[in-house]
PDB file of all heavy atoms in Angstrom:
ATOM      1  N   TRP A 242     142.640 125.230  78.092  1.00 96.00           N
ATOM      2  CA  TRP A 242     143.077 126.547  77.588  1.00 96.00           C
ATOM      3  C   TRP A 242     142.254 127.658  78.253  1.00 96.00           C
ATOM      4  O   TRP A 242     142.800 128.748  78.660  1.00 96.00           O
ATOM      5  CB  TRP A 242     142.897 126.556  76.075  1.00 96.00           C
ATOM      6  CG  TRP A 242     143.261 127.863  75.414  1.00 96.00           C
ATOM      7  CD1 TRP A 242     144.152 128.784  75.876  1.00 96.00           C
ATOM      8  CD2 TRP A 242     142.774 128.325  74.204  1.00 96.00           C
ATOM      9  NE1 TRP A 242     144.237 129.826  74.953  1.00 96.00           N
ATOM     10  CE2 TRP A 242     143.383 129.613  73.949  1.00 96.00           C
ATOM     11  CE3 TRP A 242     141.852 127.882  73.221  1.00 96.00           C
ATOM     12  CZ2 TRP A 242     143.157 130.350  72.824  1.00 96.00           C
ATOM     13  CZ3 TRP A 242     141.554 128.625  72.124  1.00 96.00           C
ATOM     14  CH2 TRP A 242     142.194 129.845  71.908  1.00 96.00           C
ATOM     15  N   GLY A 243     140.952 127.433  78.391  1.00 95.00           N
ATOM     16  CA  GLY A 243     140.100 128.423  79.015  1.00 95.00           C
ATOM     17  C   GLY A 243     140.454 128.692  80.507  1.00 95.00           C
ATOM     18  O   GLY A 243     140.485 129.809  80.952  1.00 95.00           O
ATOM     19  N   ASP A 244     140.839 127.606  81.206  1.00 95.00           N
ATOM     20  CA  ASP A 244     141.281 127.796  82.578  1.00 95.00           C
ATOM     21  C   ASP A 244     142.553 128.534  82.675  1.00 95.00           C
ATOM     22  O   ASP A 244     142.781 129.381  83.564  1.00 95.00           O
ATOM     23  CB  ASP A 244     141.433 126.386  83.231  1.00 95.00           C
ATOM     24  CG  ASP A 244     140.134 125.673  83.426  1.00 95.00           C
ATOM     25  OD1 ASP A 244     139.058 126.337  83.400  1.00 95.00           O
ATOM     26  OD2 ASP A 244     140.104 124.435  83.568  1.00 95.00           O
ATOM     27  N   SER A 245     143.492 128.252  81.720  1.00 95.00           N
ATOM     28  CA  SER A 245     144.752 128.978  81.664  1.00 95.00           C
ATOM     29  C   SER A 245     144.516 130.456  81.390  1.00 95.00           C
ATOM     30  O   SER A 245     145.154 131.325  81.988  1.00 95.00           O
ATOM     31  CB  SER A 245     145.673 128.353  80.650  1.00 95.00           C
ATOM     32  OG  SER A 245     146.850 129.130  80.520  1.00 95.00           O
ATOM     33  N   TRP A 246     143.581 130.721  80.471  1.00 95.00           N
ATOM     34  CA  TRP A 246     143.288 132.119  80.144  1.00 95.00           C
ATOM     35  C   TRP A 246     142.655 132.853  81.300  1.00 95.00           C
ATOM     36  O   TRP A 246     142.933 134.078  81.590  1.00 95.00           O
ATOM     37  CB  TRP A 246     142.411 132.189  78.906  1.00 95.00           C
ATOM     38  CG  TRP A 246     141.922 133.554  78.542  1.00 95.00           C
ATOM     39  CD1 TRP A 246     140.592 134.020  78.620  1.00 95.00           C
ATOM     40  CD2 TRP A 246     142.693 134.603  78.015  1.00 95.00           C
ATOM     41  NE1 TRP A 246     140.534 135.308  78.191  1.00 95.00           N
ATOM     42  CE2 TRP A 246     141.798 135.698  77.796  1.00 95.00           C
ATOM     43  CE3 TRP A 246     143.985 134.802  77.746  1.00 95.00           C
ATOM     44  CZ2 TRP A 246     142.235 136.926  77.326  1.00 95.00           C
ATOM     45  CZ3 TRP A 246     144.444 136.004  77.264  1.00 95.00           C
ATOM     46  CH2 TRP A 246     143.572 137.066  77.052  1.00 95.00           C
ATOM     47  N   SER A 247     141.796 132.190  82.053  1.00 94.00           N
ATOM     48  CA  SER A 247     141.142 132.824  83.173  1.00 94.00           C
ATOM     49  C   SER A 247     142.084 133.195  84.290  1.00 94.00           C
ATOM     50  O   SER A 247     141.817 134.069  85.127  1.00 94.00           O
ATOM     51  CB  SER A 247     140.024 131.907  83.748  1.00 94.00           C
ATOM     52  OG  SER A 247     140.599 130.713  84.281  1.00 94.00           O
ATOM     53  N   ARG A 248     143.248 132.505  84.327  1.00 94.00           N
ATOM     54  CA  ARG A 248     144.239 132.813  85.366  1.00 94.00           C
ATOM     55  C   ARG A 248     145.291 133.828  84.866  1.00 94.00           C
ATOM     56  O   ARG A 248     146.188 134.229  85.672  1.00 94.00           O
ATOM     57  CB  ARG A 248     145.021 131.518  85.786  1.00 94.00           C
ATOM     58  CG  ARG A 248     144.153 130.509  86.480  1.00 94.00           C
ATOM     59  CD  ARG A 248     144.985 129.355  87.082  1.00 94.00           C
ATOM     60  NE  ARG A 248     145.698 128.684  86.020  1.00 94.00           N
ATOM     61  CZ  ARG A 248     145.281 127.558  85.427  1.00 94.00           C
ATOM     62  NH1 ARG A 248     144.090 127.069  85.765  1.00 94.00           N
ATOM     63  NH2 ARG A 248     145.991 126.978  84.502  1.00 94.00           N
ATOM     64  N   THR A 249     145.179 134.344  83.655  1.00 92.00           N
ATOM     65  CA  THR A 249     146.082 135.339  83.132  1.00 92.00           C
ATOM     66  C   THR A 249     145.829 136.664  83.850  1.00 92.00           C
ATOM     67  O   THR A 249     144.750 137.132  84.009  1.00 92.00           O
ATOM     68  CB  THR A 249     145.871 135.487  81.631  1.00 92.00           C
ATOM     69  OG1 THR A 249     146.022 134.257  80.944  1.00 92.00           O
ATOM     70  CG2 THR A 249     146.813 136.493  81.064  1.00 92.00           C
ATOM     71  N   VAL A 250     146.963 137.287  84.241  1.00 91.00           N
ATOM     72  CA  VAL A 250     146.916 138.587  84.914  1.00 91.00           C
ATOM     73  C   VAL A 250     147.665 139.609  84.074  1.00 91.00           C
ATOM     74  O   VAL A 250     148.485 139.261  83.191  1.00 91.00           O
ATOM     75  CB  VAL A 250     147.509 138.469  86.336  1.00 91.00           C
ATOM     76  CG1 VAL A 250     146.619 137.532  87.144  1.00 91.00           C
ATOM     77  CG2 VAL A 250     148.940 137.957  86.277  1.00 91.00           C
ATOM     78  N   CYS A 251     147.435 140.866  84.380  1.00 90.00           N
ATOM     79  CA  CYS A 251     148.133 141.991  83.719  1.00 90.00           C
ATOM     80  C   CYS A 251     147.952 141.862  82.213  1.00 90.00           C
ATOM     81  O   CYS A 251     148.956 142.003  81.453  1.00 90.00           O
ATOM     82  CB  CYS A 251     149.542 142.077  84.111  1.00 90.00           C
ATOM     83  SG  CYS A 251     149.873 142.248  85.894  1.00 90.00           S
ATOM     84  N   ASN A 252     146.754 141.623  81.742  1.00 93.00           N
ATOM     85  CA  ASN A 252     146.502 141.510  80.317  1.00 93.00           C
ATOM     86  C   ASN A 252     145.250 142.335  79.966  1.00 93.00           C
ATOM     87  O   ASN A 252     144.229 142.215  80.579  1.00 93.00           O
ATOM     88  CB  ASN A 252     146.275 140.027  79.979  1.00 93.00           C
ATOM     89  CG  ASN A 252     146.131 139.807  78.459  1.00 93.00           C
ATOM     90  OD1 ASN A 252     145.055 140.081  77.860  1.00 93.00           O
ATOM     91  ND2 ASN A 252     147.130 139.301  77.821  1.00 93.00           N
ATOM     92  N   LYS A 253     145.421 143.222  78.991  1.00 94.00           N
ATOM     93  CA  LYS A 253     144.357 144.157  78.648  1.00 94.00           C
ATOM     94  C   LYS A 253     143.113 143.435  78.099  1.00 94.00           C
ATOM     95  O   LYS A 253     141.992 143.775  78.383  1.00 94.00           O
ATOM     96  CB  LYS A 253     144.841 145.216  77.658  1.00 94.00           C
ATOM     97  CG  LYS A 253     145.973 146.078  78.228  1.00 94.00           C
ATOM     98  CD  LYS A 253     146.429 147.112  77.161  1.00 94.00           C
ATOM     99  CE  LYS A 253     147.512 147.994  77.713  1.00 94.00           C
ATOM    100  NZ  LYS A 253     148.795 147.276  78.065  1.00 94.00           N
ATOM    101  N   LEU A 254     143.363 142.432  77.232  1.00 95.00           N
ATOM    102  CA  LEU A 254     142.201 141.720  76.630  1.00 95.00           C
ATOM    103  C   LEU A 254     141.480 140.902  77.694  1.00 95.00           C
ATOM    104  O   LEU A 254     140.276 140.798  77.672  1.00 95.00           O
ATOM    105  CB  LEU A 254     142.692 140.793  75.503  1.00 95.00           C
ATOM    106  CG  LEU A 254     141.589 139.973  74.813  1.00 95.00           C
ATOM    107  CD1 LEU A 254     140.572 140.817  74.148  1.00 95.00           C
ATOM    108  CD2 LEU A 254     142.215 138.988  73.806  1.00 95.00           C
ATOM    109  N   ARG A 255     142.235 140.335  78.621  1.00 95.00           N
ATOM    110  CA  ARG A 255     141.621 139.476  79.672  1.00 95.00           C
ATOM    111  C   ARG A 255     140.661 140.272  80.478  1.00 95.00           C
ATOM    112  O   ARG A 255     139.614 139.743  80.997  1.00 95.00           O
ATOM    113  CB  ARG A 255     142.721 138.913  80.574  1.00 95.00           C
ATOM    114  CG  ARG A 255     142.244 138.149  81.769  1.00 95.00           C
ATOM    115  CD  ARG A 255     141.454 136.929  81.373  1.00 95.00           C
ATOM    116  NE  ARG A 255     140.922 136.228  82.579  1.00 95.00           N
ATOM    117  CZ  ARG A 255     139.805 136.584  83.176  1.00 95.00           C
ATOM    118  NH1 ARG A 255     139.035 137.535  82.720  1.00 95.00           N
ATOM    119  NH2 ARG A 255     139.410 135.927  84.271  1.00 95.00           N
ATOM    120  N   ALA A 256     140.874 141.593  80.655  1.00 93.00           N
ATOM    121  CA  ALA A 256     139.975 142.440  81.433  1.00 93.00           C
ATOM    122  C   ALA A 256     138.585 142.565  80.838  1.00 93.00           C
ATOM    123  O   ALA A 256     137.669 142.850  81.521  1.00 93.00           O
ATOM    124  CB  ALA A 256     140.650 143.800  81.629  1.00 93.00           C
ATOM    125  N   ILE A 257     138.494 142.385  79.513  1.00 94.00           N
ATOM    126  CA  ILE A 257     137.199 142.522  78.841  1.00 94.00           C
ATOM    127  C   ILE A 257     136.655 141.203  78.255  1.00 94.00           C
ATOM    128  O   ILE A 257     135.469 141.076  77.979  1.00 94.00           O
ATOM    129  CB  ILE A 257     137.269 143.596  77.718  1.00 94.00           C
ATOM    130  CG1 ILE A 257     138.234 143.135  76.619  1.00 94.00           C
ATOM    131  CG2 ILE A 257     137.654 144.941  78.277  1.00 94.00           C
ATOM    132  CD1 ILE A 257     138.212 144.074  75.448  1.00 94.00           C
ATOM    133  N   LYS A 258     137.491 140.228  78.100  1.00 95.00           N
ATOM    134  CA  LYS A 258     137.122 138.929  77.524  1.00 95.00           C
ATOM    135  C   LYS A 258     137.534 137.846  78.483  1.00 95.00           C
ATOM    136  O   LYS A 258     138.672 137.581  78.659  1.00 95.00           O
ATOM    137  CB  LYS A 258     137.727 138.723  76.155  1.00 95.00           C
ATOM    138  CG  LYS A 258     137.187 137.502  75.436  1.00 95.00           C
ATOM    139  CD  LYS A 258     137.778 137.337  73.997  1.00 95.00           C
ATOM    140  CE  LYS A 258     137.118 136.147  73.301  1.00 95.00           C
ATOM    141  NZ  LYS A 258     137.732 135.907  71.983  1.00 95.00           N
ATOM    142  N   HIS A 259     136.499 137.182  79.066  1.00 94.00           N
ATOM    143  CA  HIS A 259     136.809 136.210  80.127  1.00 94.00           C
ATOM    144  C   HIS A 259     136.897 134.777  79.604  1.00 94.00           C
ATOM    145  O   HIS A 259     137.244 133.894  80.345  1.00 94.00           O
ATOM    146  CB  HIS A 259     135.717 136.298  81.173  1.00 94.00           C
ATOM    147  CG  HIS A 259     135.664 137.604  81.873  1.00 94.00           C
ATOM    148  ND1 HIS A 259     134.589 138.020  82.631  1.00 94.00           N
ATOM    149  CD2 HIS A 259     136.579 138.632  81.935  1.00 94.00           C
ATOM    150  CE1 HIS A 259     134.809 139.269  83.067  1.00 94.00           C
ATOM    151  NE2 HIS A 259     136.010 139.641  82.667  1.00 94.00           N
ATOM    152  N   THR A 260     136.518 134.559  78.340  1.00 94.00           N
ATOM    153  CA  THR A 260     136.616 133.201  77.754  1.00 94.00           C
ATOM    154  C   THR A 260     137.418 133.279  76.495  1.00 94.00           C
ATOM    155  O   THR A 260     137.714 134.365  75.936  1.00 94.00           O
ATOM    156  CB  THR A 260     135.223 132.685  77.444  1.00 94.00           C
ATOM    157  OG1 THR A 260     134.624 133.416  76.324  1.00 94.00           O
ATOM    158  CG2 THR A 260     134.281 132.782  78.626  1.00 94.00           C
ATOM    159  N   VAL A 261     137.722 132.103  75.927  1.00 95.00           N
ATOM    160  CA  VAL A 261     138.441 132.030  74.636  1.00 95.00           C
ATOM    161  C   VAL A 261     137.520 131.749  73.474  1.00 95.00           C
ATOM    162  O   VAL A 261     137.941 131.436  72.351  1.00 95.00           O
ATOM    163  CB  VAL A 261     139.579 130.950  74.689  1.00 95.00           C
ATOM    164  CG1 VAL A 261     140.636 131.329  75.742  1.00 95.00           C
ATOM    165  CG2 VAL A 261     139.008 129.570  75.083  1.00 95.00           C
ATOM    166  N   ALA A 262     136.222 131.723  73.761  1.00 94.00           N
ATOM    167  CA  ALA A 262     135.245 131.472  72.646  1.00 94.00           C
ATOM    168  C   ALA A 262     135.233 132.646  71.730  1.00 94.00           C
ATOM    169  O   ALA A 262     135.506 133.800  72.091  1.00 94.00           O
ATOM    170  CB  ALA A 262     133.850 131.337  73.293  1.00 94.00           C
ATOM    171  N   PRO A 263     134.948 132.410  70.449  1.00 94.00           N
ATOM    172  CA  PRO A 263     134.949 133.474  69.413  1.00 94.00           C
ATOM    173  C   PRO A 263     133.787 134.475  69.675  1.00 94.00           C
ATOM    174  O   PRO A 263     132.729 134.068  70.133  1.00 94.00           O
ATOM    175  CB  PRO A 263     134.786 132.726  68.112  1.00 94.00           C
ATOM    176  CG  PRO A 263     134.159 131.475  68.457  1.00 94.00           C
ATOM    177  CD  PRO A 263     134.625 131.073  69.824  1.00 94.00           C
ATOM    178  N   TRP A 264     134.050 135.723  69.378  1.00 95.00           N
ATOM    179  CA  TRP A 264     133.015 136.805  69.470  1.00 95.00           C
ATOM    180  C   TRP A 264     132.442 137.045  68.107  1.00 95.00           C
ATOM    181  O   TRP A 264     133.220 137.243  67.132  1.00 95.00           O
ATOM    182  CB  TRP A 264     133.615 138.038  70.089  1.00 95.00           C
ATOM    183  CG  TRP A 264     133.600 138.045  71.608  1.00 95.00           C
ATOM    184  CD1 TRP A 264     133.097 137.046  72.377  1.00 95.00           C
ATOM    185  CD2 TRP A 264     134.123 139.020  72.471  1.00 95.00           C
ATOM    186  NE1 TRP A 264     133.243 137.399  73.709  1.00 95.00           N
ATOM    187  CE2 TRP A 264     133.869 138.610  73.797  1.00 95.00           C
ATOM    188  CE3 TRP A 264     134.759 140.228  72.251  1.00 95.00           C
ATOM    189  CZ2 TRP A 264     134.240 139.320  74.896  1.00 95.00           C
ATOM    190  CZ3 TRP A 264     135.182 140.945  73.398  1.00 95.00           C
ATOM    191  CH2 TRP A 264     134.856 140.529  74.680  1.00 95.00           C
ATOM    192  N   GLY A 265     131.133 137.125  67.995  1.00 93.00           N
ATOM    193  CA  GLY A 265     130.520 137.373  66.699  1.00 93.00           C
ATOM    194  C   GLY A 265     130.801 138.742  66.166  1.00 93.00           C
ATOM    195  O   GLY A 265     130.879 138.915  64.918  1.00 93.00           O
ATOM    196  N   THR A 266     130.993 139.706  67.031  1.00 94.00           N
ATOM    197  CA  THR A 266     131.238 141.092  66.534  1.00 94.00           C
ATOM    198  C   THR A 266     132.635 141.252  65.952  1.00 94.00           C
ATOM    199  O   THR A 266     132.957 142.316  65.359  1.00 94.00           O
ATOM    200  CB  THR A 266     131.061 142.069  67.704  1.00 94.00           C
ATOM    201  OG1 THR A 266     131.853 141.712  68.801  1.00 94.00           O
ATOM    202  CG2 THR A 266     129.614 142.202  68.129  1.00 94.00           C
ATOM    203  N   ALA A 267     133.522 140.235  66.130  1.00 94.00           N
ATOM    204  CA  ALA A 267     134.849 140.376  65.533  1.00 94.00           C
ATOM    205  C   ALA A 267     134.785 140.278  64.029  1.00 94.00           C
ATOM    206  O   ALA A 267     135.717 140.727  63.386  1.00 94.00           O
ATOM    207  CB  ALA A 267     135.766 139.285  66.091  1.00 94.00           C
ATOM    208  N   ILE A 268     133.751 139.711  63.465  1.00 93.00           N
ATOM    209  CA  ILE A 268     133.586 139.560  62.010  1.00 93.00           C
ATOM    210  C   ILE A 268     132.831 140.815  61.538  1.00 93.00           C
ATOM    211  O   ILE A 268     131.687 141.019  61.882  1.00 93.00           O
ATOM    212  CB  ILE A 268     132.816 138.311  61.647  1.00 93.00           C
ATOM    213  CG1 ILE A 268     133.459 137.102  62.357  1.00 93.00           C
ATOM    214  CG2 ILE A 268     132.799 138.136  60.134  1.00 93.00           C
ATOM    215  CD1 ILE A 268     134.897 136.822  62.001  1.00 93.00           C
ATOM    216  N   ARG A 269     133.535 141.656  60.735  1.00 92.00           N
ATOM    217  CA  ARG A 269     132.904 142.867  60.262  1.00 92.00           C
ATOM    218  C   ARG A 269     132.826 142.832  58.712  1.00 92.00           C
ATOM    219  O   ARG A 269     133.561 142.092  58.061  1.00 92.00           O
ATOM    220  CB  ARG A 269     133.718 144.117  60.649  1.00 92.00           C
ATOM    221  CG  ARG A 269     134.255 144.128  62.052  1.00 92.00           C
ATOM    222  CD  ARG A 269     133.156 144.146  63.107  1.00 92.00           C
ATOM    223  NE  ARG A 269     132.272 145.306  62.932  1.00 92.00           N
ATOM    224  CZ  ARG A 269     131.113 145.452  63.619  1.00 92.00           C
ATOM    225  NH1 ARG A 269     130.747 144.491  64.466  1.00 92.00           N
ATOM    226  NH2 ARG A 269     130.373 146.493  63.414  1.00 92.00           N
ATOM    227  N   GLU A 270     131.958 143.660  58.188  1.00 88.00           N
ATOM    228  CA  GLU A 270     131.852 143.740  56.705  1.00 88.00           C
ATOM    229  C   GLU A 270     133.046 144.494  56.151  1.00 88.00           C
ATOM    230  O   GLU A 270     133.324 144.370  54.932  1.00 88.00           O
ATOM    231  CB  GLU A 270     130.562 144.459  56.330  1.00 88.00           C
ATOM    232  CG  GLU A 270     129.328 143.641  56.705  1.00 88.00           C
ATOM    233  CD  GLU A 270     128.053 144.345  56.242  1.00 88.00           C
ATOM    234  OE1 GLU A 270     128.155 145.415  55.669  1.00 88.00           O
ATOM    235  OE2 GLU A 270     126.945 143.758  56.450  1.00 88.00           O
TER     236      GLU A 270
END
């Protein structure tokens, strides 16, 4: 899945997130 995501083009999220691992800052109070 990570390799497939790294090959994704023309994607706004892909420009700032290079992996599919969860980000800790996504969890907010």
Side-chain angles (χ1 to χ4, degrees):
W242 180 25
D244 292 341
S245 174
W246 174 248
S247 65
R248 293 191 299 268
T249 302
V250 295
C251 300
N252 184 284
K253 297 180 178 65
L254 178 64
R255 173 64 184 84
I257 62 172
K258 187 177 185 183
H259 299 163
T260 69
V261 294
W264 274 357
T266 53
I268 309 300
R269 317 297 302 171
E270 295 182 359

